[in-house]
Amino acid sequence: MTDRIVDLRSDTITQPVVAMRMAMASAEVGDDVYGEDPTVRSLEDRIADLLGHESGLFTPSGSMANQLGIRLHVGPGQELIADELAHVLRAEMGAAAVFSGISSRSWSAPRGLLDPADPLRLMQPDAGTYQVSTKAIVVENTHNFGGGTVQPLEAIRTLREATQPLGVAMHLDGARLWNAHVATGIELAAYGQLFDTVSVCLSKGLGAPVGSVLVGSRAHIEEARVWRKRYGGGMRQAGILAAAGLWALDHHIKRLADDHARARAFSEAVATRFPGVIDPAHVETNIVIADVGQAGWPAADFVSVAGERGLRMYAVNETSVRLVWHLDVDDADTAFAAGVMNILLAKASGR
Ligand SMILES: Cc1ncc(COP(=O)(O)O)c(C=O)c1O
């Protein structure tokens, strides 16, 4: 037992810092359903600009931003395709099917890494009157359940060039696109311009309490605004929340490099002793997937015993756990996390 708690379950658990709270408290606001909140407008415009799109729409969550984006491209009885670990397929509670009557298929992608040949093989853009037509492809960058994988720009471009002439839209789930940008130095707009719509989250690595933004063409975003209201996502004096996002854009993007460095340091400290559990070459951003099954541990047991020792993480399947670095984790926490991991892995393997 320990008093120390290092919580690596997700980068969504961060506490808003004092300066962010002050920015929220002093935000100029209006009724955003009437389009009268200047702070929301300014966040939407700024993110649209950063991503190389015409317009933006503030949403309460990344799931809503994704689902609005998807429904702009895909109608009832048509399909979206995505890799089998994609958040839109695994963790949005079947929303595309429930709200929009959309069916989906997936391809398998180790670590979530995009190989354009996979969706190109799977899609059927115009399947006639007997099979379901593919209307959109969703790409996730970075890839959450894949372990923070950065999608290669060239792979995305190849996919875009092949699908655009066929009328198959592309939506980017960019909940952690900031991390890809910081890890590679590639401009956000260079990614953004290869998609019809992009969602980004402010409430993950950027440390805001709430909020995502969907960007796209003016016409797409006008339509998404109607659907957001229909989904119950029209918010009133939402500038209080948007102010946190604006503050995060100014102060919390560059520092993501610290999260990446700590995730890498942790992975090296564990891989030195347990090379089969983590491959540091696969730790590109702030997420580490550890195959504790290699050391004889069921993932759920490992999560529970690590939790008793003050280290929180998340079981992604029966044999692997996910650890995510964020704003509220420092070097000492990282060393503590590596220590707990190594002690527990040694217990199972008898080293
Ligand atoms: C890749 C990805 N997309 C979308 C989401 C959804 O965001 P939210 O939890 O705000 O709905 C998440 C959440 O963790 C995510 O990891």
Side-chain angles (χ1 to χ4, degrees):
M1 282 299 191
T2 169
D3 288 342
R4 183 174 202 145
I5 304 237
V6 174
D7 196 340
L8 299 177
R9 283 172 302 163
S10 175
D11 48 9
T12 57
I13 63 146
T14 51
Q15 293 287 318
V17 299
V18 172
M20 180 183 276
R21 290 175 193 248
M22 309 259 283
M24 295 171 75
S26 59
E28 202 185 329
V29 296
D31 189 328
D32 183 50
V33 172
Y34 295 159
E36 290 173 3
D37 191 304
T39 310
V40 171
R41 278 292 156 93
S42 136
L43 177 72
E44 290 172 341
D45 290 348
R46 185 157 162 202
I47 292 189
D49 228 44
L50 278 174
L51 292 166
H53 280 261
E54 278 177 355
S55 285
L57 182 71
F58 188 46
T59 63
S61 69
S63 299
M64 190 184 283
N66 278 337
Q67 293 302 324
L68 289 172
I70 288 165
R71 77 157 306 131
L72 295 173
H73 311 306
V74 191
Q78 299 175 331
E79 75 176 4
L80 77 91
I81 58 172
D83 78 86
E84 66 183 0
L85 298 174
H87 194 277
V88 294
L89 297 187
R90 285 193 78 197
E92 297 183 11
M93 315 312 287
V98 173
F99 298 135
S100 312
I102 291 172
S103 78
S104 49
R105 285 185 301 143
S106 58
W107 67 89
S108 137
R111 299 195 299 114
L113 185 66
L114 175 68
D115 176 348
D118 291 326
L120 290 175
R121 209 169 17 242
L122 189 65
M123 70 180 193
Q124 297 193 109
D126 190 2
T129 55
Y130 182 64
Q131 292 187 339
V132 178
S133 294
T134 311
K135 292 293 168 193
I137 298 172
V138 177
V139 174
E140 190 173 311
N141 195 16
T142 66
H143 202 296
N144 174 354
F145 296 123
T149 307
V150 177
Q151 306 296 1
L153 193 65
E154 266 322 296
I156 301 171
R157 186 174 289 120
T158 302
L159 187 60
R160 180 63 163 176
E161 283 168 2
T163 53
Q164 200 167 27
L166 302 173
V168 176
M170 282 176 51
H171 171 77
L172 172 60
D173 177 352
R176 296 183 181 79
L177 189 64
W178 321 105
N179 297 83
H181 159 63
V182 167
T184 60
I186 294 173
E187 288 304 319
L188 291 159
Y191 288 113
Q193 280 163 349
L194 295 173
F195 293 88
D196 297 281
T197 46
V198 182
S199 67
V200 288
C201 288
L202 301 157
S203 58
K204 312 267 175 332
L206 296 198
V210 176
S212 291
V213 173
L214 175 73
V215 304
S217 68
R218 194 158 289 116
H220 269 147
I221 295 303
E222 264 172 36
E223 195 184 337
R225 196 173 291 279
V226 173
W227 279 102
R228 183 187 67 173
K229 182 72 164 61
R230 235 170 235 143
Y231 286 173
M235 298 180 284
R236 302 296 177 173
Q237 285 70 36
I240 295 210
L241 303 174
L246 284 165
W247 196 91
L249 292 177
D250 287 335
H251 299 93
H252 284 170
I253 295 183
K254 280 200 188 124
R255 67 150 304 285
L256 292 172
D258 299 343
D259 296 343
H260 300 176
R262 288 180 181 127
R264 172 59 76 102
F266 166 87
S267 70
E268 281 162 358
V270 175
T272 308
R273 289 187 57 196
F274 302 97
V277 172
I278 297 174
D279 181 350
H282 290 164
V283 179
E284 298 178 79
T285 56
N286 65 326
I287 302 180
V288 176
I289 303 279
D291 183 358
V292 294
Q294 288 283 333
W297 279 91
D301 293 358
F302 195 86
V303 167
S304 148
V305 176
E308 284 164 15
R309 289 175 177 256
L311 177 61
R312 293 187 180 158
M313 63 190 82
Y314 172 78
V316 282
N317 57 38
E318 289 191 350
T319 53
S320 294
V321 296
R322 184 192 69 182
L323 304 98
V324 188
W325 268 257
H326 54 74
L327 197 56
D328 296 347
V329 182
D330 62 15
D331 288 337
D333 294 329
T334 302
F336 173 81
V340 172
M341 273 309 270
N342 280 340
I343 288 169
L344 294 186
L345 290 169
K347 266 183 187 296
S349 67
R351 261 179 274 194

